[in-house]
Amino acid sequence: MAAADLNSVRATIEGRLATELANSPAISVVFQNMAFEPTPNSSFVQCLTTFGANQYLSQGSTTNCQNRIVGLTVFNIFSGKGVGPGANLVIGKRIRDLYNREIVSGVFFDAPNGPEVLASPVPEGYFQTRVSVTFEFIEEL
């Protein structure tokens, strides 16, 4: 097999989120390197996926061997300021349930962390929480 297609892994993660948050109640989703202008006092989720540590699972040549590739997805959840954390916690639960120890298209998701409250939201004027989940997949060479 060929080296892993990181865009396929990213698409698996992002597609799952986009499908879930398109359901009622629908919530806007923004991904890395996307222009986005939030509607004041609305809720939205920013999804950031990064690839990090790798590990050899087998030694030897560059064929018939495996690598473990580990990554992290951070979901920044924003809602209107001054109305409490309820909306963010509901969205956070939807995201946690979506990835919590799931295996999707060969991507293994760990137990999520959060939602944790962030003291200085960016962009300003919103209440922000964050859910993060590590994932891994096996690259077969």
Side-chain angles (χ1 to χ4, degrees), residues 115-135:
E116 61 180 311
V117 176
L118 297 179
S120 300
V122 177
E124 292 181 5
Y126 286 89
F127 178 73
Q128 181 182 359
T129 58
R130 174 179 291 161
V131 171
S132 60
V133 62
T134 54
F135 63 87

Side-chain angles (χ1 to χ4, degrees), residues 10-115:
R10 180 191 54 77
T12 295
I13 295 166
E14 292 178 358
R16 192 164 173 80
L17 180 69
T19 299
E20 169 62 26
L21 296 185
N23 293 323
S24 182
I27 298 163
S28 297
V29 180
V30 62
F31 301 104
Q32 286 173 319
N33 201 25
M34 263 181 73
F36 181 73
E37 186 65 40
T39 304
N41 296 317
S42 66
S43 294
F44 66 96
V45 174
Q46 177 190 47
C47 175
L48 306 172
T49 299
T50 58
F51 298 92
N54 301 311
Q55 176 184 27
Y56 294 123
L57 295 180
S58 58
Q59 299 291 326
S61 69
T62 57
T63 59
N64 298 323
C65 57
Q66 297 177 325
N67 298 324
R68 174 181 290 124
I69 299 176
V70 178
L72 173 69
T73 299
V74 174
F75 304 96
N76 289 304
I77 305 164
F78 299 90
S79 63
K81 196 171 188 175
V83 294
N88 281 48
L89 296 178
V90 169
I91 297 167
K93 180 177 180 345
R94 285 175 70 182
I95 292 170
R96 287 180 57 88
D97 291 348
L98 195 59
Y99 296 97
N100 197 357
R101 299 181 60 157
E102 294 287 332
I103 302 171
V104 181
S105 299
V107 180
F108 300 79
F109 296 99
D110 296 319
N113 295 304

Side-chain angles (χ1 to χ4, degrees), residues 1-9 67 69 137-141:
M1 296 189 99
D5 181 352
L6 301 181
N7 274 318
S8 292
V9 174
N67 298 324
I69 299 176
F137 60 97
I138 306 302
E139 175 181 51
E140 298 189 28
L141 302 174

